Amino acid sequence: MSRYRVLHRTIYVYSDTVTSSYGRAFLTPRDFPGQRLLSHEVRVDPVPSDRSVGADVYGNTTLYFHVTSEHRRLEVTGESVVEVAGPATPVAATPWEQARPHSGNGPLAVEFMLDLNPPEIIPEVAAYAAESFPPGRPLAAAVTELTNRIYTDFTYKSGSTTVSTSVADVFAARKGVCQDFARLAIACLRSRGLAARYVSGYLATDPPPGKPRIVGADATHAWAAVWLPTGGPGRWLGFDPTNDQFANERYVTLAWGRDYADVPPLRGIIYTDAKESTITVSVDVAPVDSAPIDVAAAEV
């Protein structure tokens, strides 16, 4: 298993005083077979007058907080230590048609077959997916090809989309970022009657040979997972079309849901007369036993 220290800091700065700030954060890595959460805390500055921790419908840990002291700067920092194991070899023999969940073999997965509203499964996406899913093809082989095709056919371009950009727009533009490619892959799988979920988390990155790690140089990441009909209840196979690979021990899972909107790292409502605001996010995923590192902030 690989062990990481994850530091995720978000700073909001406002041009005028904020009198009240409500926040909801998905900053607690999940604890499940293949990932173990060893320690975790979320710090909010200014200190909230009220905060609570609970679980959403998908079992993700979510923090609610309310800051009532006047402020022009809000900082939310999640710090965790996590152990992650590499996945088992994907089951390659099961034809993809047999991986469609139903009330008998995977009742909790059926929800993840359903399209969103507004719909993401447009005819162009369904036709694109069909190329990788001919009759009888093993599920893992079909997902492998789909992952490679998205990686090859689409260009990663930071800033080319927003969280509200539709799958249809991403498909037409043939460019986007990790969350776009994950959502596209999910729509493709759902168009074939398969269950797919959106996964929010982190990907540990390695510096160039001979270079020190730079704290804050990593970013939040997103990938997809497809439900498997074998291997026990709750078995999902993570795959990353942004990097053309299956999820492995470098992937730290924060939360999962049907779409990005289910699990944004941080969202909230503020009361203020401020006309302008800035947000700075820095993320670091560092091996616990790594050598000394340089410290720097990075905006992502």
Side-chain angles (χ1 to χ4, degrees):
M1 300 185 76
S2 298
R3 181 177 294 189
Y4 301 102
R5 172 182 171 269
V6 179
L7 188 67
H8 184 158
R9 178 177 289 114
T10 305
I11 300 173
Y12 299 91
V13 178
Y14 307 100
S15 61
D16 202 347
T17 300
V18 175
T19 57
S20 183
S21 180
Y22 295 88
R24 183 187 187 189
F26 288 95
L27 293 173
T28 305
R30 293 196 63 128
D31 199 308
F32 60 94
Q35 179 170 296
R36 187 159 62 118
L37 181 60
L38 302 180
S39 65
H40 174 72
E41 67 170 327
V42 176
R43 300 182 293 273
V44 182
D45 182 26
V47 175
S49 58
D50 183 35
R51 62 184 288 166
S52 63
V53 176
D56 71 359
V57 67
Y58 302 116
N60 303 303
T61 298
T62 179
L63 165 70
Y64 298 89
F65 63 85
H66 183 198
V67 177
T68 55
S69 57
E70 293 187 349
H71 57 280
R72 291 195 176 196
R73 182 182 187 275
L74 176 68
E75 180 174 331
V76 182
T77 303
E79 185 171 3
S80 311
V81 176
V82 184
E83 283 186 342
V84 185
T89 302
V91 178
T94 304
W96 68 266
E97 296 94 335
Q98 296 180 21
R100 291 168 169 162
H102 50 76
S103 59
N105 67 355
L108 297 180
V110 171
E111 178 185 2
F112 293 88
M113 295 170 53
L114 305 177
D115 198 3
L116 303 178
N117 186 21
E120 303 272 68
I121 304 174
I122 59 174
E124 293 84 354
V125 167
Y128 184 83
E131 295 181 31
S132 293
F133 289 84
R137 189 172 205 176
L139 175 63
V143 172
T144 297
E145 182 180 293
L146 177 66
T147 301
N148 177 259
R149 287 175 59 219
I150 294 175
Y151 174 79
T152 302
D153 295 342
F154 292 77
T155 301
Y156 184 97
K157 187 174 182 180
S158 180
S160 61
T161 59
T162 69
V163 295
S164 60
T165 301
S166 69
V167 165
D169 288 339
V170 171
F171 190 84
R174 296 293 172 118
K175 61 185 176 182
V177 295
C178 59
Q179 69 182 30
D180 301 309
F181 302 152
R183 293 172 59 230
L184 171 60
I186 289 167
C188 286
L189 292 176
R190 289 174 179 165
S191 76
R192 310 310 293 164
L194 298 168
R197 67 188 182 193
Y198 180 96
V199 187
S200 171
Y202 311 101
L203 175 57
T205 56
D206 299 317
K211 298 292 185 179
R213 297 193 69 260
I214 304 297
V215 172
D218 297 331
T220 55
H221 193 53
W223 58 99
V226 60
W227 181 78
L228 301 177
T230 57
R235 176 88 186 277
W236 294 77
L237 177 63
F239 64 99
D240 181 5
T242 302
N243 293 291
D244 192 20
Q245 61 187 13
F246 287 102
N248 54 38
E249 69 280 356
R250 295 169 58 215
Y251 288 73
V252 177
T253 299
L254 265 182
W256 57 61
R258 295 189 62 232
D259 188 51
Y260 168 85
D262 291 332
V263 289
L266 192 61
R267 63 153 57 112
I269 300 173
I270 63 171
Y271 293 88
T272 181
D273 291 326
K275 305 300 182 183
E276 298 179 353
S277 64
T278 61
I279 177 174
T280 302
V281 181
S282 62
V283 174
D284 185 61
V285 184
V288 169
D289 297 324
S290 63
I293 54 180
D294 290 342
V295 178
E299 185 172 339
V300 297

